[in-house]
Amino acid sequence: MNSFVYIGRPARVIFGAGSLAQLGAEIEALGARKALILSTPEQRASAERVADLLGARAAGVFDRAVMHVPIETAREARELAARLGADCAVAIGGGSTVGLGKAIALDSGLPIVAIPTTYAGSEMTTIFGITEGGMKKTGRDERVLPRTVIYDPELTLTLPVKMSVTSGMNAIAHAAEGFYSVNVNPIVALMAQEGIAALGRALPAIRRSPQDAQGRSDALYGAWLCGTVLASVDMALHHKLCHTLGGSFNLPHAETHTIVLPHALAYNAAAAPEAVQRVATALGQRSSGAQAVYDLAKDNGAPVALREIGMQEADLDKACEIAMSNQYPNPRPLERTALRQLLQDAFEGVRPVS
Ligand SMILES: NC(=O)c1ccc[n+]([C@@H]2O[C@H](COP(=O)([O-])OP(=O)(O)OC[C@H]3O[C@@H](n4cnc5c(N)ncnc54)[C@H](O)[C@@H]3O)[C@@H](O)[C@H]2O)c1
Ligand SMILES: O=C(O)CCC(=O)CC(=O)O
């Protein structure tokens, strides 16, 4: 066994159908008495359900979380938390809502209780993202890691099928890139393998039956593991490309990750053959890793072409130049011609040839 470093981060995780009912006890265990409850406008009803559960421990609701955490929204939420004298934040929602909680914690150190309702996995990481002046700044800070995470699959039953599939593919992308990360270790690789396998089972089940309790449980379990991989190791070409495409061309997050993943794996396959093949193995497929994730997305109704989600072909050269200007560790060096072809293939949505 080669030497390696593994950092396990302190987080208390409660997993199970109906585990939302344990929220009050978890808030009490934190010694908190005034929770600011966070949600998107679309999930206000969930936030109000949390407020009812907490009763006197609910200080208020802020339901204006949006994707990519605009600094203006973060400031409003921070000011409300201060005005209410909140001593913790409860984020019920996906990565955007957890991200708002992280923006509050980054500023005030407030403990976060995360109640994930998508498969983004942000609840497991010290990564934050805040957007100011049209630019999204990401970083890592221990203060933003949620203290407690409540995974209740019942809260994901309302996640639309298309969003469930792309959010699940976003999670698979964290694990897939984890296999060839510069700082991967055997423990993280195990989590990646199990997380991809769980989501590979779950996504077709959810597409067949969105109310499938086992499918929803497997998906949230897989998201937990894949989010832990994202938290533990550095990402590479796929994530850097997606942040370029999302940040510079305002493409939707989970869909962009879904579309780019097979092509990023194909780009890296020759330089990291075992890592990329582990993706196919985890999905129980005999094809290549790139083809296996492409097929999982396409077979379950997810978009497979950037042109389906608003990318303009005329912007591909610019996207390539931006990606080339931001060098980072990757199994294969960034080569302009090959990268431009990757973007063309992703734009057209062609199935990887290997
Ligand atoms: N910091 C990290 O570690 C990390 C990791 C992954 C993603 N992210 C960030 O998270 C954001 C994307 O998060 P996301 O993909 O979870 O989407 P999201 O949080 O933006 O949610 C998308 C939409 O789905 C709705 N929704 C969520 N759960 C639902 C449910 N169960 N039922 C019905 N509707 C539901 C939300 O209200 C919202 O309108 C991006 O900004 C991304 O950068 C951060
Ligand atoms: O918090 C963010 O928005 C940046 C990290 C992130 O989005 C991880 C991912 O690419 O899924």
Side-chain angles (χ1 to χ4, degrees):
M1 173 75 71
N2 297 330
S3 61
F4 63 88
V5 173
Y6 172 73
I7 300 170
R9 287 187 168 81
R12 175 172 163 77
V13 174
I14 296 95
F15 190 102
S19 53
L20 179 64
Q22 298 177 51
L23 175 63
E26 293 303 321
I27 295 293
E28 190 165 355
L30 285 176
R33 297 184 178 286
K34 291 188 170 183
L36 176 59
I37 302 151
L38 308 173
S39 77
T40 60
E42 297 84 359
Q43 289 183 279
R44 170 135 192 139
S46 299
E48 287 171 352
R49 180 181 170 198
V50 166
D52 290 345
L53 267 176
L54 293 181
R57 290 181 190 273
V61 172
F62 184 89
D63 67 352
R64 295 201 293 281
V66 291
M67 193 169 276
H68 302 315
V69 191
I71 188 65
E72 298 80 7
T73 306
R75 287 182 180 134
E76 282 180 49
R78 290 167 178 170
E79 286 159 11
L80 180 61
R83 194 159 64 247
L84 294 172
D87 55 10
C88 80
V90 178
I92 181 164
S96 294
T97 306
V98 175
L100 178 61
K102 289 181 169 183
I104 296 171
L106 185 64
D107 180 61
S108 63
L110 275 189
I112 306 169
V113 175
I115 308 171
T117 63
T118 72
Y119 311 125
S122 180
E123 66 279 0
M124 281 290 123
T125 85
T126 60
I127 303 168
F128 62 86
I130 297 175
T131 303
E132 187 164 5
M135 289 296 290
K136 185 170 189 177
K137 174 180 178 289
T138 62
R140 288 181 186 259
D141 190 306
E142 297 296 329
R143 287 176 294 178
V144 309
L145 180 72
R147 296 282 184 82
T148 304
V149 180
I150 296 179
Y151 285 113
D152 186 341
E154 291 178 351
L155 301 176
T156 63
L157 294 174
T158 53
L159 187 64
V161 169
K162 283 198 81 167
M163 206 177 288
S164 297
V165 175
T166 55
S167 187
M169 294 301 296
N170 182 184
I172 288 173
H174 303 329
E177 288 230 294
F179 279 138
Y180 54 57
S181 173
V182 285
N183 46 4
V184 70
N185 61 63
I187 312 302
V188 168
L190 271 178
M191 290 180 185
Q193 183 100 8
E194 175 73 356
I196 293 174
L199 281 158
R201 291 193 303 273
L203 298 186
I206 292 168
R207 178 168 165 79
R208 283 191 300 272
S209 169
Q211 303 298 308
D212 182 314
Q214 188 58 55
R216 290 294 187 179
S217 181
D218 283 346
L220 211 47
Y221 169 67
W224 170 10
L225 289 166
C226 295
T228 304
V229 172
L230 172 67
S232 307
V233 296
D234 295 332
M235 298 286 105
L237 173 63
H238 168 266
H239 275 69
K240 303 301 180 184
L241 260 185
C242 290
H243 289 175
T244 295
L245 293 167
S248 305
F249 303 98
N250 199 32
L251 298 184
H253 179 84
E255 294 85 343
T256 304
H257 277 67
T258 300
I259 293 165
V260 172
L261 182 59
H263 305 285
L265 294 182
Y267 184 94
N268 284 325
E274 289 176 11
V276 175
Q277 196 53 40
R278 279 191 78 167
V279 177
T281 304
L283 291 172
Q285 300 303 315
R286 300 175 63 86
S287 57
S288 74
Q291 292 168 335
V293 295
Y294 179 92
D295 295 342
L296 181 63
K298 188 173 179 68
D299 294 348
N300 288 287
V304 292
L306 290 174
R307 64 184 166 200
E308 291 179 68
I309 61 170
M311 187 72 186
Q312 299 303 310
E313 189 163 15
D315 288 333
L316 293 178
D317 288 341
K318 180 182 176 185
C320 186
E321 289 313 311
I322 297 171
M324 286 299 297
S325 68
N326 173 22
Q327 295 294 323
Y328 39 79
N330 189 60
R332 173 183 174 187
L334 299 188
E335 298 145 11
R336 180 173 277 100
T337 304
L339 195 56
R340 180 61 180 79
Q341 187 58 53
L342 184 164
L343 288 165
Q344 190 67 37
D345 292 345
F347 176 78
E348 295 172 9
V350 296
R351 184 176 190 260
V353 294
S354 61

